[in-house]
Amino acid sequence: MSSATTSTTTAPWRAVLTDPGYQAFMILRIGFTVAPILFGLDKFANLLVDWPTYLAPWIDDIVPGGAQAAMYAVGVIEIVAGIAVALAPRYGAWLVAGWLAGIIVNLLTIPGHYDVALRDFALLLGAVALARLAQRYHTERQRP
């Protein structure tokens, strides 16, 4: 392959990789892949926090099993959401945003958890931004 062919095929990728919008897309994609998977895995270990304390009593009353059993289901959903963002960010980001909306509703019904609800609202906005950026970049190849 000649150097002219090599530079012609890599030049568009250099432009994409230096595009601030694409960089923001990749930062959010990585973050919303890794964080839900790690938080989901921790629902099984409770190393970061005692997760059942974040489940509103009214939800605990309606889900089968105890709060820890509910956290196992939550963990699975979060792991799936993270994988969905990795594989199909245009759809996975909306899944994460919807999941965060549910978490926010849960947290707003537990006194003393409003700060976490506000943080999760900011994360929800980030997930929506990822979904919009993914729409823009979904036709771009993911490998340089």
Side-chain angles (χ1 to χ4, degrees):
M1 180 172 359
S2 73
S3 64
T5 305
T6 303
S7 65
T8 304
T9 58
T10 59
W13 278 107
R14 284 191 185 129
V16 168
L17 294 175
T18 60
D19 172 21
Y22 185 76
Q23 292 170 354
F25 164 68
M26 289 306 296
I27 290 166
L28 290 168
R29 184 176 185 180
I30 292 166
F32 281 107
T33 294
V34 173
I37 291 171
L38 291 178
F39 284 130
L41 289 171
D42 194 55
K43 298 300 188 291
F44 295 89
N46 290 310
L47 295 174
L48 297 173
V49 70
D50 183 24
W51 290 109
T53 63
Y54 286 89
L55 186 65
W58 68 272
I59 296 176
D60 191 18
D61 290 342
I62 61 174
V63 296
Q68 184 59 54
M71 286 299 121
Y72 294 148
V74 166
V76 170
I77 293 167
E78 289 174 345
I79 293 166
V80 168
I83 293 169
V85 169
L87 299 177
R90 286 191 307 153
Y91 307 108
W94 288 115
L95 174 63
V96 169
W99 184 247
L100 284 164
I103 291 170
I104 292 165
V105 169
N106 169 69
L107 291 171
L108 289 175
T109 63
I110 307 172
H113 287 78
Y114 305 128
D115 57 332
V116 182
L118 181 59
R119 182 214 51 206
D120 284 353
F121 179 71
L123 288 171
L124 183 148
L125 295 177
V128 170
L130 172 60
R132 298 303 300 138
L133 287 166
Q135 182 66 35
R136 162 72 170 86
Y137 294 106
H138 85 279
T139 57
E140 303 289 340
R141 292 178 54 145
Q142 299 302 313
R143 290 181 236 140

